[in-house]
Amino acid sequence: MSRTARVLLLSAAVAATLSASLAACQRKEDKAQAPAAPAPAAAPAMSNTPVGYDSKTPYAAVKLTLPQAIKTTPALHAALYADTVRDLKQFEEGAQADLSEAGGGPNPYEKTIAFAPGAETGKLVSLARTDFEFTGGAHPNTSFDAVIWDKTTNKRLGFADLFRPGADLSVLDKALCAAANAAKQARSPGSEAATLDGKMWTCPKAVSTPFVLTPGTTPGKAGGVTFLMGPYQIGPYSDGPYWIALPQSALRALLNPAYADQFDGAPVKAGDVTPKNG
């Protein structure tokens, strides 16, 4: 082989080696620059607390029902379960004391507590609580309460947290009274209207009426609030309870700025939204 041929062959080998090295380096660089695959979204923490409680004695029958969805809010779930089971056990003890003192009774007392979900937003969870209680008499008693829970702080909120301090609530009281009377007339046409200062039927003030968030037309936002009124509040027992939904547009100016962004759109349904079995 001539000297020229050997030089050409050596040059080709060096070029091939250099090319391979550059290609390898490029592959390493590309691999280093390639974006990492996104980590799978973490599943929400789930509570191990039961969603129900049921107990029967010769003196009382008690029951608690919580929605399955509450398991994704463990702190709220645990707190509600502990508080309500304690209430039910105290009711059982009271029933035993009453009926034992009276020498027994024809029927045991009865109490049920059921929670139903209201709207949920990015920051807030709401639940309506219905208490059904029968201790004898002409009919059982039904009452309502509500829970508004801040998921970011794991704290229960009150009226004063959700609404702006110093806000003129008379506007809200009037809107609630008007909507309640519209529902009352639909159920009992010609019945006496309730008023804010009525002698026969008095509209309850918003600040003293439990409420939940109302499902709305904007995903992840509340369309308003639903006030829960028990029987006898604005009409006879035969009328039943009234759940009255007001649109967020009627109360937006009254909201605490810290929670105003949790409201938008309109309620899926406004006015009388009382559950059919309420």
Side-chain angles (χ1 to χ4, degrees):
M1 180 181 293
S2 66
R3 182 175 182 278
T4 300
R6 286 197 302 271
V7 170
L8 290 175
L9 185 60
L10 180 59
S11 298
V14 171
T17 301
L18 180 59
S19 177
S21 298
L22 290 174
C25 290
Q26 185 65 44
R27 285 194 298 271
K28 290 180 180 179
E29 186 176 340
D30 291 344
K31 185 176 181 180
Q33 293 178 352
M46 297 291 285
S47 170
N48 292 322
T49 304
V51 292
Y53 174 81
D54 200 336
S55 175
K56 292 183 180 180
T57 72
Y59 306 99
V62 300
K63 185 176 182 179
L64 165 67
T65 304
L66 289 159
Q68 285 286 340
I70 198 174
K71 292 177 76 70
T72 61
T73 314
L76 171 60
H77 187 184
L80 286 184
Y81 185 86
D83 290 346
T84 50
V85 169
R86 183 183 62 248
D87 290 347
L88 292 174
K89 289 181 177 179
Q90 290 176 348
F91 179 84
E92 285 182 308
E93 293 171 1
Q96 181 173 351
D98 287 352
L99 295 176
S100 296
E101 183 178 348
N107 297 299
Y109 288 179
E110 182 180 354
K111 183 176 180 67
T112 63
I113 301 175
F115 288 88
E120 180 175 352
T121 71
K123 185 183 291 186
L124 303 174
V125 174
S126 64
L127 296 167
R129 169 175 167 165
T130 300
D131 286 43
F132 172 94
E133 187 173 307
F134 183 67
T135 57
H139 54 71
N141 293 313
T142 301
S143 61
F144 301 109
D145 199 356
V147 177
I148 308 290
W149 184 264
D150 187 328
K151 294 182 288 186
T152 63
T153 61
N154 279 332
K155 291 183 179 179
R156 184 169 178 172
L157 304 180
F159 188 97
D161 297 304
L162 201 63
F163 288 90
R164 180 167 48 81
D168 180 6
L169 299 179
S170 63
V171 175
L172 186 57
D173 291 338
K174 291 175 183 177
L176 176 58
C177 192
N181 274 308
K184 182 178 180 180
Q185 289 303 312
R187 292 191 201 180
S188 302
S191 60
E192 182 178 347
T195 62
L196 289 170
D197 56 357
K199 295 181 179 179
M200 181 64 181
W201 303 115
T202 304
C203 289
K205 297 294 182 66
V207 69
S208 58
T209 306
F211 65 90
V212 294
L213 306 182
T214 308
T217 54
T218 302
K221 305 289 184 180
V225 297
T226 298
F227 290 91
L228 317 178
M229 301 182 190
Y232 285 135
Q233 284 199 265
I234 62 168
Y237 183 84
S238 58
D239 276 6
Y242 287 88
W243 289 24
I244 304 298
L246 297 182
Q248 60 89 20
S249 58
L251 47 92
R252 171 160 287 280
L254 308 174
L255 292 171
N256 185 332
Y259 295 105
D261 62 351
Q262 300 302 295
F263 294 81
D264 196 21
V268 172
K269 182 181 179 184
D272 190 353
V273 295
T274 310
K276 296 299 182 182
N277 60 347

